Amino acid sequence: MKQLLFVFIGGGFGSVLRYIIGKYLNNPANGIPYGTFTVNILGSLLIGIILGLAAKNNTLNQDQTLLLATGFCGGFTTFSAFAYENQALFKNGDFTSFAVYTISSFVVAFLAVFAGLYVSRILA
């Protein structure tokens, strides 16, 4: 039960922060939803750091990892919004934004995870 509470609390904070960032950075006139892109990249970087710290010398315990990685990062990042926004770009015929957003999201997110893992080695 304690683990569920950690995930719940972390997810709540992550979701609220995602909402705030999306509210200010997502603008349909821009084409690419920069808010969703930002939270997914930051979340990828953070999960790399968090899981890297958790794996190295048990810097983070299981409860801290649940709170931060599963809870916060899980609530902060959003694949469903990413998928919906891509569908909307495609439906509207904005194929350039669709391609740029999709490819850059995957590539930069993967690089952010690797960067986070690298940063975790420096921190630990």
Side-chain angles (χ1 to χ4, degrees):
M1 187 65 164
K2 180 175 79 169
Q3 288 92 3
L4 293 176
L5 185 61
F6 284 124
V7 173
F8 176 76
I9 291 169
F13 281 111
S15 295
V16 169
L17 187 57
R18 178 185 68 217
Y19 171 77
I20 292 168
I21 291 171
K23 183 175 175 152
Y24 290 102
L25 295 181
N26 280 347
N27 181 350
N30 292 340
I32 294 175
Y34 291 106
T36 305
F37 181 80
T38 300
V39 298
N40 285 337
I41 301 311
L42 284 175
S44 297
L45 177 67
L46 286 172
I47 206 162
I49 293 170
I50 292 162
L51 294 179
L53 289 172
K56 181 149 185 161
N57 301 329
N58 295 322
T59 306
L60 296 175
N61 66 38
Q62 182 182 10
D63 291 340
Q64 292 167 325
T65 303
L66 282 171
L67 174 77
L68 297 171
T70 306
F72 181 81
C73 289
F76 185 58
T77 59
T78 173
F79 189 78
S80 58
F82 166 75
Y84 175 77
E85 291 159 350
N86 271 299
Q87 176 275 333
L89 291 171
F90 192 82
K91 181 181 173 187
N92 292 334
D94 191 352
F95 301 116
T96 302
S97 293
F98 169 76
V100 168
Y101 182 44
T102 301
I103 293 167
S104 63
S105 289
F106 282 113
V107 170
V108 177
F110 281 118
L111 291 174
V113 169
F114 290 124
L117 291 168
Y118 177 77
V119 168
S120 72
R121 283 188 233 141
I122 295 169
L123 294 175

